[in-house]
Amino acid sequence: QVIAYDAIVASAQGEDPTAETSPVRQNRQLAALWQLRQVSLHPDLLAGGTVATANNQRDSRVILERSGKLAWLLRRLDEIKPLGEKVLIFCVQKKLQEALARHLALIHGINVPIINGDTKATSRHDPEETRLGLIEQFSRRGGFGICILSPIAAGAGLNIVAANHVIHLERHWNPAKEDQATDRAYRIGQTRAVTVYLPAARHPNPERRSFDDVLHGLIEKKRGLQGALGLVP
C-alpha cells in the first residue's frame, strides 16, 4: 500500500513544473488525488480495479488486511461483535461497498445490506428490498449487525437507531453530508451512546501528510467556516 502510494506521489511530482497551469497537468494532478484516495482505502481499487474475492473467512481477512485502514476496521468489528451491537459503515465508492459487504458477510456469517443510490426508495413488488425495507430487516435482527451505506443515499428520513456505532470509512468532502449520515443513528429514539469513528490511513514517514490527514483538515476547516457563518447549529 505504501509503495503504491509513494509511486503515485512521485509520478505527480515528476511532471514538468513549467507546465503547471496547463489543463493536462491539472487533469493529471486531479487523477493523482483520486488515485491516492483509492490506494488509501485498498490498493486493489487503483485504476478502476476491484478488491479480490475469497472463498473462506481466512482469505477474506488476508485480502482486507492489505489495507491498513481495513485492518483497523476488522479489529474494531471484532471488538464490537461480542457486545451484540450494530454498526453503520459509510463509504462512497460502490466497488468498495460491494467488496466490504461480500467479505464481511463471509467473515462474520451474517447478511450485510448495502444502501446506496441503486437501492429503491419504493417498490410494490418487493418492499423488503427498498431502503426502508432493508433498514427494518437490519434493525429487527437481534445482536451484532453491519450495514453499509453511501453518505449521499443516507439522507433525511432514514432512522437507524438500532445501530450505535458509526464508521466513516471513506469520508465525504462535505461535512454537512457527513453529519447528516451520522444522524441516521443519532436520532430521537436512540437509547444508547453513539460512537463515531473517523479512521485515517497515515504514512509511515511522519514528515509526509497522508491523503486522509489532508482531507480531515479540509473537512474540519469547512465545518468551522460553516459554523462561523451560522450555517450549522
Side-chain angles (χ1 to χ4, degrees), residues 70-90:
L70 298 189
W72 171 89
L73 176 67
L74 290 177
R75 292 193 299 270
R76 192 68 195 103
L77 292 176
D78 287 341
E79 294 169 355
I80 296 172
K81 187 174 183 178
L83 303 176
E85 297 177 344
K86 289 182 168 57
V87 186
L88 305 182
I89 302 176
F90 288 97

Side-chain angles (χ1 to χ4, degrees), residues 117-132:
D118 293 337
T119 311
K120 295 178 181 179
T122 60
S123 174
R124 291 183 179 180
H125 304 292
D126 201 355
E128 290 193 348
E129 293 303 312
T130 64
R131 295 180 187 182
L132 291 179

Side-chain angles (χ1 to χ4, degrees), residues 43-66:
D44 286 0
L45 294 173
L46 277 174
T50 303
V51 178
T53 59
N55 296 316
N56 57 69
Q57 181 185 118
R58 178 183 175 279
D59 288 348
S60 278
R61 284 187 178 271
V62 169
I63 290 168
L64 293 186
E65 286 173 351
R66 292 179 58 221

Side-chain angles (χ1 to χ4, degrees), residues 212-226:
D212 283 351
D213 281 334
V214 174
L215 180 59
H216 175 72
L218 290 173
I219 291 172
E220 291 306 303
K221 183 177 180 180
K222 191 168 186 178
R223 180 176 281 117
L225 178 61
Q226 289 178 341

Side-chain angles (χ1 to χ4, degrees), residues 1-10 31-49 51 63-71 93 96 169-170 200-204 208-212:
Q1 192 174 19
V2 174
I3 291 171
Y5 188 98
D6 287 346
I8 296 166
V9 173
L33 286 174
W34 179 247
Q35 290 171 342
L36 291 175
R37 183 183 187 103
Q38 290 176 318
V39 77
S40 296
L41 292 163
H42 197 287
D44 286 0
L45 294 173
L46 277 174
V51 178
I63 290 168
L64 293 186
E65 286 173 351
R66 292 179 58 221
S67 158
K69 189 183 287 191
L70 298 189
Q93 298 177 63
L96 179 61
L169 191 67
E170 182 184 7
R202 292 214 162 107
H203 199 283
R208 174 169 287 181
R209 292 183 71 196
S210 69
F211 174 89
D212 283 351

